[in-house]
Amino acid sequence: MWWLAGAIAGMAIAVAAWMVTEAHRVRLIREEVAFARLPASLDGLRVLFLSDIHRRSIPARLLRRVEQAGGVDLVCIGGDLREGGVPWQRTKDNARLLTQLGPVYAVYGNHDYDDPIGPLDALLREEGVQPLVNGFVLVKGADGGRLKLCGVDDPITGRARLAEALRSGEGDEPGLFTLLLSHDPNILDRLDGAPVDLVLSGHTHGGQIALPWYGPLLRSTEILTYLRGWHVQRRGVAGAAARLYVSTGFGTSKLPLRLLAPAEVRLFIFRRASRQGA
């Protein structure tokens, strides 16, 4: 039976090696997404989205791949930029690299509050990353069009103030295409008809470790509801559906391992859909 034990051990080593590989992949996925409310002047807007960096260092090869893919107009981070115990220099290096791609905006996740948030907030702002803490900015596209980029603070730790994030303010105008960043995808259930076109979230890590036919080992209601990918909420502006994308994330939590939930960075290209086809 020694051969059977050897085969099992070999399989275990192979699976472990694959899990490490999935956790450290630099996977840039390009996707075009059409919106009926997107102004024609923002057609072709390129938005890079990543979430859940945690302990991971962003490598320079991601920058090269983004540039080879045509670059981006905007970088959005969906929270958990770090966690307790991560060296500040690593966080600084990650922020500095991303700002080379374009304007960077971020929201905080639950692990960003593992340590006092003040030093992180100061570091990000010094490096040119703008945290959106229950607030918004108006982002201007290359052709002059504008969108409203909102960020809600971490819902998991009770800091989310959705009404504040979506409020009207100076320079705002009714009907602007609205993109909402929220670490927790459950924010979709709280929109209640709010004028939001797209929500970008993370937190679930796509389950991080999943088994064939069974799915994620961690089976919370949130993970099973908003595991990864696209979701739609059927209440919105004039009956329109708010859409949600949940990233599998870039880093890992607890163990630097992934299975059937590879790390990702998403490059969205916004397109204007025809009213008839929306």
Side-chain angles (χ1 to χ4, degrees), residues 4-16:
L4 180 59
I8 292 174
M11 290 177 60
I13 292 172
V15 170

Side-chain angles (χ1 to χ4, degrees), residues 177-199:
F177 182 89
T178 300
L179 168 58
L180 174 66
L181 302 181
S182 171
H183 182 62
D184 186 355
N186 274 337
I187 201 70
L188 189 70
D189 301 326
R190 297 170 54 182
L191 292 184
D192 195 26
V196 174
D197 297 274
L198 175 63
V199 183

Side-chain angles (χ1 to χ4, degrees), residues 131-153:
L132 296 174
V133 184
N134 297 318
F136 75 91
V137 294
L138 301 179
V139 178
K140 188 175 182 179
D143 293 331
R146 297 194 305 169
L147 65 82
K148 187 174 182 178
L149 175 60
C150 305
V152 66
D153 203 1

Side-chain angles (χ1 to χ4, degrees), residues 102-141:
V104 183
Y105 298 91
V107 291
Y108 293 134
N110 53 305
H111 282 289
D112 292 315
Y113 287 97
D114 287 351
D115 295 321
I117 202 67
L120 175 59
D121 193 86
L123 181 153
L124 293 177
R125 294 180 190 276
E126 287 171 3
E127 294 301 327
V129 177
Q130 182 170 343
L132 296 174
V133 184
N134 297 318
F136 75 91
V137 294
L138 301 179
V139 178
K140 188 175 182 179

Side-chain angles (χ1 to χ4, degrees), residues 88-237:
W88 288 106
Q89 187 61 48
R90 185 181 307 168
T91 304
K92 180 186 288 285
D93 291 343
N94 286 342
R96 188 167 296 176
L97 185 142
L98 291 175
T99 56
Q100 295 180 47
L101 294 171
V104 183
Y105 298 91
V107 291
Y108 293 134
N110 53 305
H111 282 289
D112 292 315
Y113 287 97
D114 287 351
D115 295 321
I117 202 67
L120 175 59
D121 193 86
L123 181 153
L124 293 177
R125 294 180 190 276
E126 287 171 3
E127 294 301 327
V129 177
Q130 182 170 343
L132 296 174
V133 184
N134 297 318
F136 75 91
V137 294
L138 301 179
V139 178
K140 188 175 182 179
D143 293 331
R146 297 194 305 169
L147 65 82
K148 187 174 182 178
L149 175 60
C150 305
V152 66
D153 203 1
D154 177 49
I156 299 165
T157 56
R159 292 177 167 86
R161 304 291 182 267
L162 183 60
E164 291 182 25
L166 299 176
R167 71 188 184 279
S168 297
E170 183 178 353
D172 195 2
E173 60 190 61
L176 278 180
F177 182 89
T178 300
L179 168 58
L180 174 66
L181 302 181
S182 171
H183 182 62
D184 186 355
N186 274 337
I187 201 70
L188 189 70
D189 301 326
R190 297 170 54 182
L191 292 184
D192 195 26
V196 174
D197 297 274
L198 175 63
V199 183
L200 297 178
S201 294
H203 180 58
T204 68
H205 296 200
Q208 189 166 314
I209 297 177
L211 300 178
W213 304 291
Y214 180 77
L217 292 180
L218 183 61
R219 303 180 71 81
S220 67
T221 301
E222 179 180 53
I223 288 178
L224 293 178
T225 303
Y226 297 117
L227 180 62
R228 67 180 77 173
W230 287 103
H231 304 266
V232 178
Q233 189 242 17
R234 294 294 176 184
R235 293 172 293 174
V237 180

